[in-house]
Amino acid sequence: MNETPALTKNQSLVMSVLSEAKSPLSAYQILDELRPEGLRAPLQVYRALDKLTEHKLVHRIESLNAFVACSHAAEHGGEMVAFAICEACGRVEEFCDPVLQSRLAAWSHEHDFIPTRTTLEIKGRCAACH
Amino acid sequence: MNETPALTKNQSLVMSVLSEAKSPLSAYQILDELRPEGLRAPLQVYRALDKLTEHKLVHRIESLNAFVACSHAAEHGGEMVAFAICEACGRVEEFCDPVLQSRLAAWSHEHDFIPTRTTLEIKGRCAACH
DNA sequence: CAAGATATGTAATGTAATAACATATCTGAC
DNA sequence: GTCAGATATGTTATTACATTACATATCTTG
C-alpha cells in the first residue's frame, strides 16, 4: 500500500490552514492565509493541494471550487467519499456509504464503464441550520 | 406543475448548440459557436444557461465547468440525475437510479439534512473507449 | 560529489463567472 | 391603444479560479 510520505514545507502550511478551517476554502483564500508565511503565488498553493489530494489528506469540492481537509482519521481504502454541504453555514460533512458505492459499481459494471473517480455532493441545510 | 415556457432568442441559440454537441461545452465554447449569430459577451450565454438549467433542459457538469443538454426526452420529476463521463472521448451518459436516490434520501433523513441539490458525477472510461 | 528527481519561486497568461449599468421588448390592466 | 412593470438583451469592466513556462534550490542515492 502507499505510505503517506512526510509533508514538505508548503504542503504542511496548506494542510494546517485547511485543518483549522470550519468550511471549505478556495485556493486563493488559502493563499491569503499564508501570505504572512511568505507564500506569494497561487501556484505554490495549487501544487501543495495537488499532492495533498493525491494522498487523500484533502478533498476537492467540485461544486464549490474549494478544498477541505479529509475528516477520516486515517486511511482511505479505494472508497468513494461523499459530501453533504450546508448552504447556510458552509460546513461540510464527509461520509462513506457502502450501499451507494456498490450501487454505483453495479451501474458501472452493467454499462461496461470503468470508473476512476466519483464526485458526490449534496447541497442543502444541515441539522443546525433549520 | 411548472410548464416549460417558450424559449427566448438567446435561450434557443444556446439550446441548439448544446443539443448538437457530442460532449459538454463550456460557456465560452458556446459563446464562440454563437459569435456568428451575433452574441458577443459571456453574460449573454450565462443568462441563457441559468434559465435552461432552471427548466432542467440543460445540466451543469460541476467537475468540468461545462454544460450538457438534458437527454431525458421530457419531464423530470424532482429526481436526482447522475452522469458518467468518459475521460477519453468526453461523452457523458445521464442516468437516474431510484436506489441511489432513496439511499441518499435515507442518509439525509438520518442526519436531519434537508437536501436541495445533488451532484453525482462518475469519471472513467466508457464501453467504446477500452 | 555528481546526477536525477522532487520541491520551490516568480511572472505571465488563460479560463470561468459576475457586477453594474443601459436599453429594448413583452404583457396585462386600464 | 397606452402606460407600467416585468422580463430579456447588450456592453464594459472586473473578479475568481487555474495553468504554462521558466528559473532556482534542495533532497536523494549511486
Side-chain angles (χ1 to χ4, degrees):
Chain A
M1 281 274 93
N2 287 328
E3 279 301 310
T4 300
L7 301 181
T8 67
K9 180 188 134 211
N10 288 358
Q11 287 162 24
S12 303
L13 288 171
V14 169
M15 193 67 214
S16 71
V17 169
L18 282 178
S19 298
E20 285 167 21
K22 290 180 189 159
S23 48
L25 297 179
S26 74
Y28 279 71
Q29 288 175 314
I30 295 168
L31 176 55
D32 287 340
E33 295 287 325
L34 291 175
R35 282 187 201 281
E37 263 62 48
L39 294 214
R40 294 155 185 281
L43 195 50
Q44 296 173 290
V45 172
Y46 280 109
R47 283 197 280 228
L49 286 169
D50 280 350
K51 290 295 178 190
L52 293 170
T53 300
E54 235 172 63
H55 302 325
K56 306 207 181 183
L57 298 173
V58 163
H59 301 294
R60 179 183 164 85
I61 309 291
E62 298 288 352
S63 63
L64 298 176
N65 294 335
F67 303 83
V68 281
C70 176
S71 57
H72 287 43
E75 358 196 329
H76 285 289
E79 319 133 4
M80 182 206 76
V81 183
F83 304 93
I85 304 160
C86 180
E87 289 171 316
C89 68
R91 280 173 210 268
V92 168
E93 172 130 23
E94 181 183 336
F95 66 99
C96 280
D97 185 306
V99 175
L100 291 174
Q101 201 165 329
S102 67
R103 185 69 180 176
L104 286 171
W107 187 94
S108 296
H109 187 259
E110 281 164 27
H111 292 76
D112 203 9
F113 186 90
I114 302 175
T116 55
R117 194 195 161 208
T118 298
T119 299
L120 177 41
E121 300 169 9
I122 318 177
K123 289 221 185 124
R125 294 219 155 211
C126 75
C129 290
H130 61 265
Chain B
M1 283 271 94
N2 286 330
E3 279 302 310
T4 299
L7 300 182
T8 66
K9 181 188 133 212
N10 289 357
Q11 288 163 22
S12 302
L13 288 170
V14 168
M15 194 68 216
S16 72
V17 169
L18 282 178
S19 297
E20 284 166 24
K22 290 179 189 158
S23 47
L25 298 179
S26 75
Y28 281 71
Q29 287 174 315
I30 296 168
L31 176 56
D32 286 341
E33 295 287 325
L34 291 176
R35 281 188 202 282
E37 262 63 47
L39 292 214
R40 293 155 187 279
L43 197 50
Q44 295 175 292
V45 172
Y46 280 109
R47 283 198 279 229
L49 286 170
D50 279 350
K51 288 297 178 189
L52 293 169
T53 300
E54 235 173 64
H55 301 324
K56 307 206 179 183
L57 298 173
V58 163
H59 300 293
R60 178 183 165 84
I61 308 292
E62 298 288 350
S63 63
L64 300 176
N65 293 336
F67 301 83
V68 282
C70 176
S71 59
H72 287 43
E75 358 196 328
H76 285 287
E79 317 132 6
M80 183 205 72
V81 183
F83 304 93
I85 304 160
C86 180
E87 288 171 316
C89 69
R91 280 174 211 266
V92 168
E93 172 130 22
E94 180 182 337
F95 66 100
C96 280
D97 185 306
V99 174
L100 291 174
Q101 201 165 329
S102 67
R103 186 69 179 173
L104 286 171
W107 187 96
S108 296
H109 187 258
E110 279 165 26
H111 291 76
D112 203 11
F113 187 90
I114 303 176
T116 55
R117 196 193 161 209
T118 298
T119 299
L120 177 40
E121 300 169 8
I122 316 176
K123 289 222 185 122
R125 294 217 156 214
C126 74
C129 291
H130 61 265

